[in-house]
Amino acid sequence: DAKTTQPPSMDCAEGRAANLPCNHSTISGNEYVYWYRQIHSQGPQYIIHGLKNNETNEMASLIITEDRKSSTLILPHATLRDTAVYYCIAMGGGSYIPTFGRGTSLIVHP
Amino acid sequence: EAQVTQNPRYLITVTGKKLTVTCSQNMNHEYMSWYRQDPGLGLRQIYYSMNVEVTDKGDVPEGYKVSRKEKRNFPLILESPSPNQTSLYFCASLPGRGDYLTEAFFGQGTRLTVV
């Protein structure tokens, strides 16, 4: 799997959009970008994934740059319950079980 | 309800006393994996299995064993636990090669303390 780089921490005001960046400059053509989050000692939870097109679901939006070297997870209206560690994972091409880095600790404040 | 069930949720044991943490999934998933999580180190993969009777080492396999005798169960065995295995453990399952474009499901976690 390609290595991903994320900022260790970020904060965001409640009700505002949270934009979490991820760098994956060595991603190969058949690797997808996945995002998971972990809320305080609970099991990680899947959020969204994509290959090269932007994706949106009920939880978030995923914006992948045209060269696929980076992506941004967007939580459009962050709430206090979105406070969690967010993990960006590049996976595919024969590797199907996620391995996690340190992620980004997002704190949403009132 | 689709779920991954780990037992026990909490365990305090003594050094050297063999223990098993069970993991069971009800989604007929092919792939299963064990992770440990320690402060400042994130989630690290211990072992994984891509099918019955097929297991492989992850990043931190030392001191652990696993088995996959049937698809639904993937127990984690600590033959001789040591204090450095005190950690929060997670089991995960996901569908498999043909369906890799989907999510991994995680158990609730097992908090193990070895004294």
Side-chain angles (χ1 to χ4, degrees):
Chain A
D1 298 341
K3 178 179 167 57
T4 61
T5 304
Q6 300 176 251
S9 63
M10 297 182 64
D11 70 285
C12 172
E14 189 176 22
R16 304 297 293 269
N19 297 283
L20 292 87
C22 179
N23 182 287
H24 32 79
S25 58
T26 61
I27 196 168
S28 62
N30 58 358
E31 285 185 306
Y32 284 68
V33 179
Y34 282 76
W35 284 83
Y36 285 80
R37 74 179 183 184
Q38 185 179 24
I39 297 172
H40 184 59
S41 296
Q42 297 180 20
Q45 174 192 25
Y46 165 84
I47 301 173
I48 199 168
H49 74 276
L51 182 63
K52 51 186 175 182
N53 297 320
N54 298 337
E55 302 288 345
T56 295
N57 63 20
E58 65 278 3
M59 290 182 68
S61 295
L62 173 60
I63 308 297
I64 302 173
T65 59
E66 194 167 341
D67 63 8
R68 301 210 327 121
K69 292 185 177 182
S70 66
S71 59
T72 301
L73 179 75
I74 301 172
L75 308 178
H77 306 286
T79 71
L80 299 180
R81 286 178 290 183
D82 291 322
T83 292
V85 177
Y86 288 77
Y87 298 97
C88 169
I89 301 167
M91 188 169 65
S95 172
Y96 305 106
I97 302 180
T99 56
F100 294 82
R102 305 280 182 95
T104 295
S105 175
L106 174 69
I107 296 175
V108 180
H109 53 84
Chain B
E1 180 190 352
Q3 58 185 2
V4 177
T5 304
Q6 295 178 225
N7 279 298
R9 294 288 310 278
Y10 302 91
L11 178 61
I12 300 175
T13 190
V14 297
T15 299
K17 184 177 181 182
K18 180 179 178 180
L19 67 92
T20 299
V21 183
T22 64
C23 175
S24 180
Q25 50 94 3
N26 64 359
M27 295 165 279
N28 201 36
H29 285 171
E30 280 189 33
Y31 293 177
M32 298 185 75
S33 182
W34 276 104
Y35 302 85
R36 63 176 288 175
Q37 187 167 35
D38 304 288
L41 295 177
L43 279 154
R44 295 181 291 170
Q45 191 177 50
I46 303 171
Y47 269 94
Y48 63 95
S49 168
M50 297 175 77
N51 212 332
V52 175
E53 302 292 1
V54 178
T55 62
D56 281 297
K57 296 178 180 179
D59 298 321
V60 287
E62 295 78 20
Y64 303 95
K65 286 175 56 176
V66 292
S67 70
R68 187 91 183 275
K69 292 184 169 54
E70 49 191 341
K71 191 182 261 192
R72 65 181 292 126
N73 296 323
F74 191 43
L76 180 69
I77 303 155
L78 285 71
E79 295 269 4
S80 182
S82 63
N84 64 11
Q85 293 178 298
T86 292
S87 188
L88 177 59
Y89 292 86
F90 290 102
C91 178
S93 76
L94 57 166
R97 189 182 303 271
D99 294 307
Y100 80 96
L101 299 180
T102 57
E103 61 188 282
F105 291 81
F106 284 80
Q108 322 94 300
T110 295
R111 190 169 292 280
L112 172 66
T113 302
V114 183
V115 298

